[in-house]
Amino acid sequence: KAGVTQTPRYLIKTRGQQVTLSCSPISGHRSVSWYQQTPGQGLQFLFEYFSETQRNKGNFPGRFSGRQFSNSRSEMNVSTLELGDSALYLCASSRRGGNAGELFFGEGSRLTVL
Amino acid sequence: DAKTTQPTSMDCAEGRAANLPCNHSTISGNEYVYWYRQIHSQGPQYIIHGLKNNETNEMASLIITEDRKSSTLILPHATLRDTAVYYCIVRVEDAGGTSYGKLTFGQGTILTVHP
């Protein structure tokens, strides 16, 4: 079956702009989590959505937001971009039951802020 | 979630077993040990997990010490494609659902498999 799909794969923005990233989970997976990966901080949890509700949130400013649609697809938005937001943004889906720690990651969206 | 300690890097010859250690001395009784790996420019990939018994699947084996304070991931016959960053993660299985989807990644071990 198809894996987790993230779009766009690469994008370049300038400071002050906003960006929206999209994630389509594996069919049947209702939980979607987002992570930020930078060389300095590594992989950090942003938030998780399940049944269109944010269930868990990492330690990021309010400029980072997300949402989930009824078909489980998710988007995350970063407003007022800063240079430090340059990162690989990874989406992961899971069944949210059973082996709860088994997440399936997409290949990520690489954001460069100039 | 308990903190983990892993060596920064390790080397392994192709065809030999790769043994990646992880220390989690503050692990609690309800915390599982998970292993993920991340090949360059890809998203992390789940490998295996366990609570207190040794586990084996088609990718690897996981050996957890009796006191559960450390574990070892074993790749029995390493190939060049196993070159990646390997993450050891300790995670509570939260029946209440508040920690679903959340994994706390450390810096991991960079495993380099040589020809």
Side-chain angles (χ1 to χ4, degrees):
Chain A
K1 57 184 176 182
V4 176
T5 304
Q6 293 189 245
T7 57
R9 291 291 313 278
Y10 303 91
L11 66 167
I12 300 173
K13 294 285 187 178
T14 57
R15 280 180 297 175
Q17 287 187 311
Q18 65 94 26
V19 66
T20 299
L21 308 176
S22 178
C23 173
S24 293
I26 291 173
S27 178
H29 286 191
R30 298 172 60 198
S31 167
V32 174
S33 304
W34 288 89
Y35 288 78
Q36 181 196 65
Q37 185 171 29
T38 60
Q41 298 298 317
L43 274 157
Q44 293 186 287
F45 172 77
L46 278 158
F47 29 63
E48 187 233 354
Y49 286 86
F50 176 74
S51 290
E52 303 175 60
T53 302
Q54 188 182 92
R55 303 290 180 154
N56 205 347
K57 189 177 190 304
N59 188 25
F60 279 83
R63 299 185 297 107
F64 292 81
S65 63
R67 60 177 175 169
Q68 186 180 34
F69 302 95
S70 59
N71 62 357
S72 295
R73 191 178 70 85
S74 177
E75 290 181 347
M76 69 162 284
N77 182 278
V78 187
S79 63
T80 319
L81 284 166
E82 302 176 358
L83 296 178
D85 297 332
S86 293
L88 179 66
Y89 290 89
L90 290 156
C91 165
S93 75
S94 68
R95 297 181 190 88
R96 216 174 192 262
N99 181 7
E102 183 177 1
L103 305 185
F104 296 81
F105 284 83
E107 295 198 338
S109 294
R110 185 166 295 281
L111 169 66
T112 301
V113 181
L114 302 177
Chain B
D1 293 339
K3 182 183 168 80
T4 61
T5 304
Q6 298 178 252
T8 301
S9 63
M10 295 183 64
D11 291 334
C12 178
E14 188 176 21
R16 304 296 295 268
N19 298 290
L20 292 92
C22 179
N23 182 288
H24 32 78
S25 59
T26 60
I27 193 170
S28 300
N30 62 345
E31 289 180 313
Y32 284 70
V33 180
Y34 280 80
W35 284 84
Y36 277 75
R37 72 180 182 183
Q38 186 174 24
I39 296 170
H40 184 62
S41 297
Q42 296 182 19
Q45 176 190 25
Y46 165 84
I47 301 173
I48 197 168
H49 79 289
L51 181 62
K52 54 185 177 181
N53 298 319
N54 297 338
E55 302 288 344
T56 296
N57 63 20
E58 65 279 3
M59 289 183 66
S61 294
L62 173 61
I63 308 297
I64 303 175
T65 58
E66 191 169 342
D67 63 7
R68 302 208 324 122
K69 294 185 177 182
S70 65
S71 60
T72 301
L73 178 73
I74 301 172
L75 308 178
H77 307 286
T79 71
L80 299 179
R81 287 178 295 179
D82 292 322
T83 293
V85 180
Y86 286 77
Y87 296 98
C88 170
I89 299 164
V90 173
R91 185 185 183 286
V92 172
E93 290 301 287
D94 183 356
T98 58
S99 63
Y100 277 100
K102 180 179 180 180
L103 295 174
T104 301
F105 289 84
Q107 294 304 308
T109 296
I110 301 170
L111 174 68
T112 304
V113 181
H114 297 285

